[in-house]
Amino acid sequence: RAGSGNIVHNSGTVTWDTGGTSTMYALSTFNNITTTTSGTTLRWFSALTLAGTLTVAANTTVHEHSSAGGAFTVNGDVSVSGTLGDSDAYSAYSFGSLTIASGGTYNATSGTTTITSETSGGYAIDHDGTFTHNNGTVLITTPATTLLDLLATGNLYNLTINHASCVARIVSHSTIDNDVTVTAGTLNTAYDVNVTVTGDVSVSGTFGLAEESGAHSFGSLTIASGGTHIATSGTTT
């Protein structure tokens, strides 16, 4: 779809089922987009905003145009059973939540993927498929207690928590391949969950929970003035 006119989405859903590669240049905000037919590839040109949700079906692909992509904003839930993103992704992405099903793949932007809300089940990220980080950052700004299920194929690279009302809880044994930054809010783990951060941990908010007993390993730990680290009763390496 291309053109300079306007689409009024009326809270509807657009089903993309071309069965091949097509490009969207959208100057209007869509509501929901769902891919269906096996072999369908949807590329967005410039920028794309969805007021509702994105559902990427199995054996379909959605990604930004490699030479002229742009910011991708989905205000609602993003559910991936096929493939979202590719190794050339570089723009800013913002999702209400991110669910990667078994067999699904998220090729993250090398920029920042921002998560602003959560699923009805309370997950900001529910990762059961493949996550390819491309050296990008995941930024959680969910203004609530929210869950991060990160135990599947592929680790996050940088993880940042930045909302005063956010309490992000890692509920699966996890490795972060670079840095963790708690700028505001709280990051903790569920009880006996083990977490490894290969890079630096920087805390201006709160990292930890009194009930934690898992093994935690950090490249380094910096607690800023006003920041708090509540250590696990297990071992912090």
Side-chain angles (χ1 to χ4, degrees):
R1 183 257 174 189
S4 57
N6 187 49
I7 286 179
V8 180
H9 62 65
N10 279 326
S11 301
T13 297
V14 173
T15 299
W16 213 273
D17 65 352
T18 61
T21 299
S22 56
T23 301
M24 173 188 284
Y25 176 37
L27 301 180
S28 302
T29 298
F30 282 68
N31 190 48
N32 304 325
I33 288 182
T34 299
T35 59
T36 54
T37 302
S38 179
T40 293
T41 296
L42 169 61
R43 303 182 301 179
W44 72 88
F45 182 93
S46 187
L48 178 60
T49 298
L50 308 186
T53 63
L54 173 70
T55 303
V56 184
N59 302 311
T60 70
T61 300
V62 176
H63 64 83
E64 67 178 289
H65 196 286
S66 60
S67 61
F72 185 32
T73 301
V74 182
N75 290 335
D77 299 328
V78 172
S79 302
V80 183
S81 297
T83 300
L84 174 60
D86 62 16
S87 59
D88 296 322
Y90 58 87
S91 299
Y93 296 173
S94 179
F95 306 148
S97 69
L98 176 61
T99 298
I100 310 168
S102 177
T105 298
Y106 176 52
N107 293 309
T109 173
S110 60
T112 299
T113 300
T114 301
I115 307 295
T116 62
S117 188
E118 59 186 5
T119 66
S120 60
Y123 287 87
I125 299 177
D126 190 357
H127 167 30
D128 297 310
T130 298
F131 187 103
T132 305
H133 61 59
N134 288 320
N135 294 343
T137 295
V138 172
L139 169 63
I140 308 294
T141 63
T142 305
T145 298
T146 194
L147 305 177
L148 306 178
D149 180 5
L150 309 178
L151 180 61
T153 302
N155 304 322
L156 276 62
Y157 188 66
N158 296 323
L159 173 63
T160 299
I161 311 300
N162 190 13
H163 195 292
S165 299
C166 181
V167 180
R169 175 167 293 184
I170 299 174
V171 296
S172 53
H173 301 309
S174 302
T175 297
I176 309 299
D177 281 341
N178 199 42
D179 298 337
V180 167
T181 304
V182 185
T183 305
T186 298
L187 176 65
N188 59 40
T189 68
Y191 310 116
D192 60 350
V193 165
N194 301 330
V195 172
T196 297
V197 181
T198 65
D200 302 326
V201 173
S202 303
V203 183
S204 298
T206 299
F207 190 164
L209 179 73
E211 292 83 2
E212 291 176 343
S213 60
H216 295 177
S217 178
F218 309 147
S220 71
L221 175 61
T222 300
I223 308 168
S225 176
T228 300
H229 176 225
I230 304 172
T232 174
S233 62
T235 299
T236 301
T237 303

